[in-house]
């Protein structure tokens, strides 16, 4: 759990690291260093996170959408690799047809990944009303089609988190909202699942590498999922425990429990929701003050 400074405030960002000046810094780095600007941009992004890791300066929600711009160097790198692989597939000395097709398919996959990553980074950073976060907030409201503008949407969640929210790893927990990669109304949470998985990746030279997937998956009362990545398994478990304390009736578990929960048939979902409401009503009734 990350400690907050008094009133949740962080040291103010230097002028050139603030929005929109940071865009000029990124553009200058790319103009001067070309491809070598990628590590420099990542370093600048790390410095910005050190000053304001949760975006107090411009609002938690808006800062979270702005941070998607940090994915732009990755998109550029993927596109560059895709072009290299594509050129090799077309003009390289590849004798076997299946190898040429494999290289072409790899180039197409990298092109699609790079294109979508770049598109999502630009969309969330410059058009927050269309961002994943804004869409997730709208979808939680009773009448999504009548939702207010993005400034009011973000302001609603920011106000709920307050000046001194509870931050656990990647998520902030307020009185009514949970802010991760997307937003979730605590009252609508019906499933809390933790994913802790080791993935093995084969390399072309015969070796292999591993990566650890740490995700918190929240499922709401319409079976929509909100997934947030974590870096620490302890933070992941602490976040799940914290939310389970707020919604003890929610289904908990790991990857298998998530799959079983998601695959419930309609009648099973209805039975679960009815039991959820019954247990929640009983808990709230027992906790209500008595006046004898």
């Amino acid at each position: 759990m990350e400690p907050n400074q008094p009133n949740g405030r962080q040291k103010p960002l230097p002028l050139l690291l603030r929005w929109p000046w940071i865009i000029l810094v990124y553009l200058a780095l790319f103009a001067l260093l070309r491809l070598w600007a990628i590590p420099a941009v990542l370093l600048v992004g790390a410095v910005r996170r050190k000053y304001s890791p949760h975006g107090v300066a411009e609002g938690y929600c808006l800062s979270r959408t702005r941070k998607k711009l940090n994915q732009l160097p990755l998109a550029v790198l993927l596109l560059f690799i895709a072009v290299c692989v594509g050129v090799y597939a077309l003009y390289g000395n590849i004798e076997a047809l299946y190898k040429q097709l494999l290289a072409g398919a790899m180039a197409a996959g990298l092109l699609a990944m790079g294109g979508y990553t770049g598109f999502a980074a630009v969309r969330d950073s410059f058009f927050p009303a269309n961002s994943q976060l804004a869409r997730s907030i709208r979808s939680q409201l009773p009448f999504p089609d009548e939702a207010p503008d993005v400034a009011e949407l973000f302001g609603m969640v920011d106000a709920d988190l307050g000046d001194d929210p509870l931050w656990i790893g990647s998520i902030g927990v307020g009185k009514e909202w949970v802010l991760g990669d997307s937003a979730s109304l605590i009252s609508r949470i019906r499933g809390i699942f933790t994913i802790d998985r080791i993935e093995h990746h084969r390399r072309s030279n015969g070796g292999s590498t591993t990566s650890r997937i740490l995700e918190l998956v929240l499922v709401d009362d319409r079976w929509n999922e909100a997934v947030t990545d974590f870096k620490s398994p302890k933070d992941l478990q602490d976040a799940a425990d914290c939310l389970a304390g707020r919604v003890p009736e929610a289904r908990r578990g790991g990857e298998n429990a998530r799959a079983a929960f998601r695959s419930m048939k309609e009648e099973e979902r209805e039975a679960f929701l009815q039991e959820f409401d019954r247990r929640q009503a009983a808990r709230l009734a027992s906790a209500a003050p008595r006046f004898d």
Side-chain angles (χ1 to χ4, degrees), residues 12-283:
L13 277 169
L15 179 62
L16 289 180
L17 295 183
R18 299 176 190 171
W19 188 269
W21 304 107
I22 187 63
I23 301 300
L24 300 178
V25 173
Y26 288 153
L27 292 176
L29 287 172
F30 276 108
L32 292 173
L33 303 178
R34 304 300 176 94
L35 189 60
W36 294 105
I38 293 176
V41 168
L42 295 177
L43 179 61
V44 171
V47 172
R48 293 186 80 236
R49 287 191 295 273
K50 181 179 179 181
Y51 273 91
S52 185
H54 301 299
V56 177
E58 57 182 349
Y60 302 109
C61 292
L62 188 58
S63 177
R64 188 138 297 197
T65 62
R66 301 296 196 213
K67 285 179 181 178
K68 290 295 184 72
L69 195 64
N70 294 337
Q71 297 178 359
L72 198 55
L74 174 61
V76 173
L77 180 61
L78 289 172
L79 292 173
F80 176 77
I81 296 174
V83 171
C84 292
V85 174
V87 170
Y88 177 69
L90 291 173
Y91 304 106
N93 187 19
I94 305 178
E95 296 181 356
L97 178 59
Y98 80 92
K99 290 184 178 180
Q100 189 175 24
L101 294 175
L102 181 61
M106 185 181 300
L110 289 170
L111 187 65
M113 289 173 58
Y116 179 77
T117 302
F119 166 77
V122 172
R123 178 199 64 194
D124 287 16
S125 299
F126 294 97
F127 306 97
N130 298 323
S131 65
Q132 173 190 343
L133 179 56
R135 285 185 281 117
S136 71
I137 298 173
R138 288 191 197 96
S139 70
Q140 301 285 306
L141 301 179
F143 303 101
D145 294 337
E146 301 176 10
D149 61 25
V150 67
E152 191 171 342
L153 283 177
F154 284 178
M156 175 176 57
V157 177
D158 287 343
D160 179 66
L161 292 176
D163 287 338
D164 193 15
L166 173 62
W167 287 103
I168 310 175
S170 305
I171 69 167
V173 182
K175 297 179 180 62
E176 298 181 356
W177 290 89
V178 179
L179 177 62
D181 292 340
S182 55
S184 299
L185 260 175
I186 295 175
S187 61
R188 303 194 76 153
I189 294 176
R190 297 297 181 265
I192 304 168
F193 304 102
T194 55
I195 309 300
D196 187 348
R197 179 175 69 248
I198 302 295
E199 290 191 347
H200 299 272
H201 308 278
R202 293 186 178 275
R203 301 173 63 178
S204 58
N205 60 4
S208 63
T209 59
T210 60
S211 60
R212 190 172 187 178
I213 307 298
L214 296 170
E215 294 177 340
L216 176 67
V217 182
L218 303 178
V219 184
D220 67 15
D221 53 356
R222 294 162 301 174
W223 263 248
N224 295 328
E225 288 189 342
V227 182
T228 300
D229 294 326
F230 277 73
K231 296 180 180 178
S232 162
K234 182 180 184 305
D235 285 343
L236 174 61
Q237 192 60 47
D238 287 347
D241 290 342
C242 173
L243 293 174
R246 302 286 295 275
V247 194
E249 297 81 16
R251 183 71 55 86
R252 284 205 56 183
E255 198 162 3
N256 292 335
R258 172 199 182 188
F261 192 74
R262 290 281 295 168
S263 62
M264 278 185 179
K265 296 180 179 178
E266 188 65 31
E267 56 271 20
E268 293 175 315
R269 293 185 181 187
E270 289 296 330
F272 170 81
L273 292 175
Q274 291 175 8
E275 177 65 13
F276 179 98
D277 292 340
R278 185 194 67 78
R279 291 173 56 200
Q280 186 178 68
R283 174 174 60 85

